[in-house]
Amino acid sequence: MTIARASIDKPIITWIIILVCLFGGIWGFLTLGRLEDPAFTIKQAVVITQYPGASAEQVAEEVSEPLEAAIQRMGEVSEITSVNRPGVSRIDVEVEDTIRGDDLPQVWTELRQQIDGVVGSLPDGAGAPFVDDGFGDVYGIFFAVTAEGFTDAERHQLATFLRRELLAVDGVADVEVAGLPEEAIFVEPDLAITAHLGVDPQVIAQALAEADSVADAGSIDSETASTMIQTPEGSDSVSEIAGLSIGVGGDIINLFDIAEVNRGRQDDPDQILRFNGTEAFTIGVAGLADENIVDVGNRVDARLAELQPEIPYGVELHPVYQQHVVVDEASNGFLVNLAMSVAIVVLVLGVFMGPRAAIVVGTTLLLTVVGTLLFMAIFGIEMERISLGALIIAMGMLVDNAIVVAEGMQVAMAHGKKSREAAEEATGKTQIPLLGATVIGIMAFAGIGLSPDSTGEFLFSLFAVIGISLLLSWILAITVTPLLGHYFFKQGEVNEDDAYGGVIFRAYGALLRAALRIRWLVVVALIAVTATCYVGFGQVKQQFFPDSNTPIFFVHYTMRQGTPIDTTSERMRVLEDFLAARDEVQAVSTYVGQGATRFLLTYSSERPNPAYGHLIVRTETLDQIPRLRADLEAFAAANLGDGEFRTERLVFGPGGGSPIEVRFSGSDPVVLRDLADRAITVMQGASDNILAPRIDWREQELVLRPNYATDRAQAAGVSRDDVAEIIRFATDGVTAGTYREGDRALPIILRVAPDAGVSAMDQTIVAQDGETLLPIEQVVDGFTYETQNTLIRRQNRLPTITVGASIPADLTAAQVQAEVQAAVEAMDLPYGYRMEWGGEYEASNEANASLGAQLPITALIMVLISVLLFNAVRQPLIIWLLVPMSVNGVAIGLLGTGLPFSFTALLGLLSLSGMLIKNGIVLVEEIDLTRETGKPLREAIVSASVSRLRPVLLAAATTILGMAPLLGDAFFVSMAITIMGGLAFASILTLVAAPVFYDIFFSRSERKAREAEGMATPA
């Protein structure tokens, strides 16, 4: 008894399967985790080390180099890059893609151990390295908070309150606050009074340092208890600090007698934030990895609504990005697309196979989809962009199995057979070929999903969902479809010849006979068509990832290196004012000094730089972005010519960097800058599409260096550090203590008042005797002007400079890359220097290499399955000859629509190959079975092909029309066109090519068999 017959004879089991799939799928849909992108580990950590007073070159040589050398000893590390600025080293550590996310904590522990081992060898004055292994956290629920009229202290209190309350929300992993004003307590001595009294600024600094210090005061032990003694309470208000007493020459004076004490903002904050032109700070909320982000977001919104009465009037929370809303809309959109696809399939089947077949196949398809949701919930596979895409990709293959079984049952019952016999016949000869074809279709994606690197981690749900859905479709096709056919199909008395006697069948049969007669001409034509399409495919635009369908784009504006952050901020206001006058702009978030908190997995924030400004612009619709970008770029060219301006669309894939990048590595910064300048000239000469070329080292800066008078200074007992201290006192100020306010610690900065009208050379310095005040001119012979690299980047311990460039919005990076690549690679490089391509070219090649490394293994498995399926070589060879034809319709479709061949289109091409192989297996298997009945070769080929015409065409039609709802989706449109165009063209070719190839491969053996039979008959 076959499985199909058993499903009819024992329907209770089949009904259990139906109900489990149906209600389990509903449960699965309601409980599935929802994310925007797959839970993906960014395998990167950041090591930050402070080295105050050092130049960028000193930071690179004395701090970054020893740390990088220690980090490089770790076998898990794949790449080390560092950014060296005056006073600070930032090292980005990337580990191998093959390291699993669960193993990262151990890797970061080893990283800290390696760094701890070299801390002792770092130069005096260098701080302890800080390792940030939360660099890849995503704060997808992202608000800008405005609080006009509130003091800076009140803003901090508000941020603390909101963070505390949101951290208590179920499912929230972390809350990050950014952009709060940076305050300090400023102590500004009156220089005339201090000079007259002989007060050394170091005396004031010492008093401030002890004003609110915390120290252990011991304890008192008794027979019954031990009582701890705490430090006396210190000065913890501005007025108390101003009232500090200082001993001068045996006298006691109060600080307010000789200095002005006030509280205010620091002059050079790390970041300035605004929302729609109003000063703001941001709050980013990250959900737990195993939580449904839609539920977390809804709980956060509900909690904020509950807190509204406690939030002061005038405080507003503006959503910058709401991941839970985006995910919810995507999920609902998927349901709509799914319902439309199923409806289209049922409608097409109803027209060509009748309403009964439409109900049978449509029900099987629906059960397959909801059953897949059940298993996704069981295996913990979230509903996100990749898994939803997998369901849509699989949709084209899910219906095939049910159509083949239903069509076979319907034809057999029309010939007068009973439902059980028809089910047994339909599945008996197709279930193994269908299983083999299904496994081959799954294996087409195995190279992606089982890749051990980051690509495999990101796309694992694609392989898992396709595998689950296709296997489930085969199981339901041989169980549920026969049972439903038993209920719905009617037994008839039609002659076998009449089953395929329609006009379409007869026309196809005539066409196929003609093709078999001129088979070699057909082969030549197929080769010519395929070759032409491959040439056309070479003209298709290439794109790594498509632009996002979220109506957001970015603005990057970078002024000359060394520009103060306040100047950059004012220039950004010019852009804000322009955008505020545009009706299509919904919101503008401004970030000066660095980028925003990572609110998307694919968003890469710009590293800190006071000369950098960033806008996140949200429009009402996607269609408004191109014109707005063009107008904004024209406005910036006319009004912001003193900086580098560019706009960038939000893309689905990895962000950061430039579309076109080329790197040069070597030892001499002068040579590297020369190579970078030459590369810009070469690229601009090779293509007019190179826009806003830039160097990541930026411009050199002018630096002042005091000339230390060694003999006089040492005779007076004044060190270089003393000179640096007094100059810092006269400029930025010296951090002399800490002012504690709750959980905040504000620095107490001792400085010369900015409006005092004195310079660094007007200062006095205390000699070694502690009493004599010397003019600074006695220990410093003026200042020397130098130009320095204040931004030095290194990659794998070598200084590395990168040239980046933007491209026109209507072109892809691959097109512009092709225009400049040969010219740049022809540049002569000095010995010891090397050139590498970066940007989208590197990212695309790495992804393709990752896929390519796995494809040979999966292809071998697919070939072995097809060989074992037929226990022969010729049949699999016929089938695999069809695979190159999958590109034919793809090239026509993409060229006709002007869409690029993106990463999603590649997935569509793999899916298309699986569909063609499945069709080929079923067709070739049917020819083999028909030949076994004794029919001559060509008659068997024509008869079997005609019998498979309807399943092939119906599978193609339902798949093509089922993809129609995706044509409006920015992420899936190129994949939809790939499948629609490729399947429409290749299915027709398959119905001609496979029979012709079969005739060519088997005609000789057929003749020999006939000759042997003719010789044996007379005997």
Side-chain angles (χ1 to χ4, degrees):
M1 180 185 295
T2 63
I3 297 175
R5 182 155 189 160
S7 68
I8 299 174
D9 291 339
K10 299 179 180 179
I12 186 66
I13 299 176
T14 309
W15 275 108
I16 290 175
I17 294 174
I18 292 173
L19 294 176
V20 167
C21 287
L22 181 60
F23 292 105
I26 295 173
W27 168 81
F29 178 77
L30 296 176
T31 57
L32 272 174
R34 285 169 172 78
L35 299 172
E36 184 171 8
D37 292 294
F40 173 69
T41 307
I42 296 180
K43 300 167 184 176
Q44 184 174 351
V46 177
V47 181
I48 298 177
T49 310
Q50 303 291 336
Y51 188 15
S55 67
E57 186 174 353
Q58 288 175 310
V59 169
E61 293 178 355
E62 300 176 24
V63 175
S64 294
E65 168 59 27
L67 289 176
E68 289 171 358
I71 295 169
Q72 196 175 44
R73 290 196 289 267
M74 296 175 57
E76 299 90 347
V77 172
S78 64
E79 186 173 88
I80 304 171
T81 57
S82 66
V83 180
N84 303 277
R85 295 183 291 126
V88 61
S89 160
R90 173 194 168 111
I91 301 174
D92 290 84
V93 183
E94 296 183 31
V95 302
E96 294 286 351
D97 279 351
T98 53
I99 301 297
R100 296 175 52 194
D102 295 340
D103 297 331
L104 280 181
Q106 179 61 37
V107 174
W108 302 144
T109 299
E110 184 181 350
L111 173 64
R112 289 183 172 89
Q113 292 173 348
Q114 291 290 347
I115 289 174
D116 290 343
V118 296
V119 166
S121 63
L122 295 181
D124 293 337
F130 168 71
V131 179
D132 179 12
D133 56 13
F135 176 75
D137 293 345
V138 178
Y139 299 84
I141 306 169
F142 192 45
F143 296 98
V145 183
T146 57
E148 293 185 87
F150 287 75
T151 66
D152 292 343
E154 290 169 337
R155 293 171 195 261
H156 277 271
Q157 292 171 1
L158 173 64
T160 301
F161 166 72
L162 291 173
R163 184 174 189 273
R164 182 182 66 243
E165 294 298 327
L166 293 178
L167 277 171
V169 174
D170 186 30
V172 170
D174 192 16
V175 177
E176 181 171 290
V177 178
L180 284 168
E182 300 171 27
E183 291 186 282
I185 306 298
F186 296 102
V187 178
E188 299 167 348
D190 186 312
L191 297 182
I193 296 176
T194 55
H196 175 71
L197 296 176
V199 178
D200 182 4
Q202 291 183 356
V203 175
I204 302 176
Q206 181 67 26
L208 292 171
E210 298 173 353
D212 194 23
S213 60
V214 177
D216 182 13
S219 61
I220 299 176
D221 296 329
S222 66
E223 294 181 358
T224 58
S226 176
T227 303
M228 182 177 64
I229 304 174
Q230 293 185 340
T231 309
E233 289 189 359
S235 304
D236 57 0
S237 70
V238 174
S239 59
E240 289 183 347
I241 291 174
L244 284 175
S245 298
I246 300 174
V248 179
D251 296 327
I252 302 297
I253 60 175
N254 292 322
L255 186 59
F256 61 74
D257 291 328
I258 60 173
E260 182 75 25
V261 181
N262 61 80
R263 175 173 177 163
R265 292 189 179 183
Q266 297 190 42
D267 295 333
D268 294 309
D270 292 332
Q271 189 177 33
I272 296 174
L273 267 65
R274 290 190 291 271
F275 183 83
N276 287 341
T278 302
E279 186 176 312
F281 63 90
T282 59
I283 290 183
V285 181
L288 293 170
D290 57 350
E291 282 281 341
N292 185 334
I293 193 62
V294 175
D295 293 340
V296 174
N298 291 336
R299 288 195 288 266
V300 168
D301 289 343
R303 183 56 182 152
L304 288 174
E306 293 173 1
L307 292 173
Q308 199 60 44
E310 301 181 50
I311 297 176
Y313 180 78
V315 175
E316 296 184 49
L317 276 75
H318 308 272
V320 177
Y321 193 81
Q322 292 180 292
Q323 190 181 50
H324 59 294
V325 174
V326 174
V327 172
D328 196 39
E329 290 176 353
S331 299
N332 294 334
F334 165 73
L335 286 179
V336 172
N337 288 337
L338 177 62
M340 292 176 63
S341 296
V342 173
I344 289 171
V345 169
V346 172
L347 181 62
V348 172
L349 292 173
V351 171
F352 292 101
M353 292 183 69
R356 297 176 182 275
I359 293 173
V360 171
V361 177
T363 302
T364 306
L365 175 61
L366 180 62
L367 290 173
T368 303
V369 173
V370 296
T372 301
L373 296 177
L374 167 63
F375 284 100
M376 287 174 62
I378 292 173
F379 294 123
I381 302 172
E382 291 90 356
M383 187 179 290
E384 27 77 9
R385 180 176 290 125
I386 300 302
S387 60
L388 290 180
L391 273 174
I392 295 170
I393 291 172
M395 188 72 69
M397 296 183 279
L398 295 182
V399 73
D400 288 5
N401 293 329
I403 286 179
V404 170
V405 174
E407 200 265 350
M409 270 192 74
Q410 200 172 36
V411 170
M413 291 180 70
H415 294 159
K417 293 185 178 180
K418 294 181 179 180
S419 60
R420 289 173 174 80
E421 296 173 351
E424 195 164 20
E425 179 182 314
T427 60
K429 64 181 182 180
T430 59
Q431 63 182 8
I432 298 304
L434 287 177
L435 176 60
T438 299
V439 174
I440 288 175
I442 295 171
M443 292 305 300
F445 295 90
I448 296 176
L450 297 181
S451 178
D453 58 11
S454 297
T455 304
E457 182 183 1
F458 188 75
L459 296 175
F460 174 76
S461 62
L462 177 80
F463 168 69
V465 171
I466 286 178
I468 291 170
S469 59
L470 290 187
L471 284 176
L472 188 58
S473 74
W474 178 80
I475 293 171
L476 295 180
I478 62 173
T479 55
V480 174
T481 302
L483 179 63
L484 295 178
H486 168 70
Y487 292 145
F488 287 94
F489 294 158
K490 288 186 175 181
Q491 186 176 356
E493 296 181 355
V494 182
N495 293 327
E496 184 174 351
D497 294 337
D498 293 337
Y500 303 108
V503 176
I504 296 178
F505 293 105
R506 293 199 304 270
Y508 171 62
L511 174 65
L512 187 54
R513 289 187 179 90
L516 292 174
R517 285 195 297 270
I518 55 171
R519 59 185 186 179
W520 290 111
L521 184 61
V522 170
V523 171
V524 172
L526 289 173
I527 294 174
V529 169
T530 303
T532 302
C533 289
Y534 268 85
V535 173
F537 188 76
Q539 306 303 313
V540 174
K541 294 186 293 185
Q542 304 291 309
Q543 187 180 42
F544 189 29
F545 276 98
D547 292 331
S548 171
N549 51 14
T550 302
I552 282 178
F553 72 94
F554 302 132
V555 173
H556 304 274
Y557 180 68
T558 309
M559 300 189 70
R560 186 174 183 84
Q561 187 70 9
T563 301
I565 192 170
D566 288 334
T567 303
T568 308
S569 177
E570 289 306 310
R571 302 300 282 165
M572 296 304 292
R573 284 196 180 276
V574 177
L575 295 173
E576 291 172 304
D577 293 341
F578 172 83
L579 291 169
R582 299 292 293 243
D583 294 335
E584 65 268 41
V585 176
Q586 279 193 338
V588 178
S589 303
T590 306
Y591 306 84
V592 186
Q594 57 183 294
T597 300
R598 186 190 291 271
F599 62 92
L600 270 174
L601 181 66
T602 55
Y603 175 81
S604 181
S605 178
E606 191 76 14
R607 295 181 176 115
N609 187 348
Y612 173 74
H614 180 54
L615 298 179
I616 299 177
V617 183
R618 179 181 285 272
T619 60
E620 294 178 351
T621 64
L622 278 174
D623 298 336
Q624 296 169 334
I625 290 181
R627 181 177 177 181
L628 180 60
R629 284 181 67 188
D631 292 347
L632 187 59
E633 288 170 354
F635 174 80
N639 296 276
L640 298 174
D642 54 348
E644 169 203 300
F645 181 89
R646 59 189 172 94
T647 62
E648 176 188 11
R649 277 293 305 275
L650 175 64
V651 297
F652 282 113
S658 305
I660 306 296
E661 284 185 356
V662 60
R663 295 190 297 267
F664 297 95
S665 298
S667 58
D668 190 344
V670 176
V671 176
L672 291 177
R673 281 193 174 273
D674 178 64
L675 289 173
D677 291 337
R678 285 169 51 198
I680 290 177
T681 302
V682 169
M683 291 166 70
Q684 289 180 315
S687 173
D688 295 332
N689 296 315
I690 292 294
L691 307 180
R694 48 198 174 271
I695 298 173
D696 66 347
W697 284 26
R698 308 300 303 169
E699 300 84 3
Q700 291 183 307
E701 290 187 56
L702 191 65
V703 176
L704 287 175
R705 185 185 296 277
N707 298 316
Y708 180 68
T710 305
D711 294 339
R712 298 196 304 272
Q714 290 181 350
V718 177
S719 67
R720 287 180 171 83
D721 289 346
D722 294 333
V723 173
E725 186 86 0
I726 199 65
I727 293 176
R728 188 162 73 252
F729 163 72
T731 52
D732 295 336
V734 178
T735 301
T738 301
Y739 169 58
R740 304 182 192 281
E741 186 176 64
D743 60 349
R744 297 180 62 197
L746 277 66
I748 302 174
I749 297 178
L750 179 65
R751 69 178 185 180
V752 174
D755 57 356
V758 296
S759 68
M761 294 302 292
D762 296 324
Q763 304 303 310
T764 58
I765 194 166
V766 180
Q768 189 175 22
D769 59 12
E771 298 180 359
T772 306
L773 292 178
L774 303 174
I776 195 171
E777 292 99 328
Q778 292 193 16
V779 294
V780 173
D781 291 331
F783 291 83
T784 300
Y785 290 88
E786 298 179 5
T787 55
Q788 289 185 1
N789 292 308
T790 56
L791 195 59
I792 298 176
R793 298 177 186 265
R794 293 158 54 96
Q795 182 168 323
N796 294 330
R797 301 179 64 189
L798 272 179
T800 301
I801 195 167
T802 301
V803 176
S806 301
I807 59 175
D810 58 342
L811 296 179
T812 65
Q815 289 175 292
V816 181
Q817 179 80 28
E819 295 173 351
V820 302
Q821 185 166 348
V824 173
E825 291 178 352
M827 289 175 55
D828 292 329
L829 300 181
Y831 179 77
Y833 292 78
R834 70 169 184 264
M835 183 274 291
E836 295 176 321
W837 287 104
E840 189 169 307
Y841 177 83
E842 180 181 43
S844 178
N845 282 350
E846 288 178 351
N848 291 335
S850 174
L851 298 180
Q854 306 299 320
L855 286 180
I857 299 175
T858 56
L860 177 61
I861 295 173
M862 294 164 69
V863 170
L864 288 176
I865 292 174
S866 59
V867 170
L868 294 174
L869 196 61
F870 290 97
N871 195 27
V873 174
R874 284 180 292 180
Q875 288 92 336
L877 184 57
I878 293 170
I879 294 166
W880 283 94
L881 285 173
L882 304 177
V883 174
M885 298 179 193
S886 60
V887 177
N888 296 353
V890 175
I892 295 172
L894 293 178
L895 286 173
T897 58
L899 290 170
F901 184 77
S902 63
F903 190 77
T904 56
L906 173 61
L907 301 180
L909 184 59
L910 293 175
S911 172
L912 178 62
S913 301
M915 297 178 202
L916 289 179
I917 292 172
K918 175 179 281 191
N919 286 338
I921 287 175
V922 175
L923 179 58
V924 171
E925 177 73 14
E926 184 68 20
I927 296 174
D928 283 348
L929 293 173
T930 305
R931 287 182 63 202
E932 291 176 1
T933 63
K935 286 187 177 182
L937 176 63
R938 289 196 173 177
E939 185 179 342
I941 292 174
V942 173
S943 176
S945 299
V946 168
S947 70
R948 295 266 64 84
L949 176 64
R950 183 161 56 180
V952 170
L953 291 183
L954 280 177
T958 53
T959 300
I960 291 168
L961 295 175
M963 290 286 160
L966 299 180
L967 295 178
D969 190 298
F971 186 67
F972 291 115
V973 61
S974 61
M975 183 191 76
I977 291 296
T978 296
I979 293 177
M980 294 171 78
L983 193 58
F985 195 85
S987 293
I988 297 173
L989 285 179
T990 300
L991 290 169
V992 176
V996 167
F997 289 146
Y998 196 101
D999 185 65
I1000 292 174
F1001 277 81
F1002 285 91
S1003 59
R1004 184 175 180 181
S1005 59
E1006 176 78 3
R1007 285 197 304 271
K1008 289 184 177 180
R1010 295 295 181 188
E1011 290 173 1
E1013 183 180 347
M1015 293 175 62
T1017 301

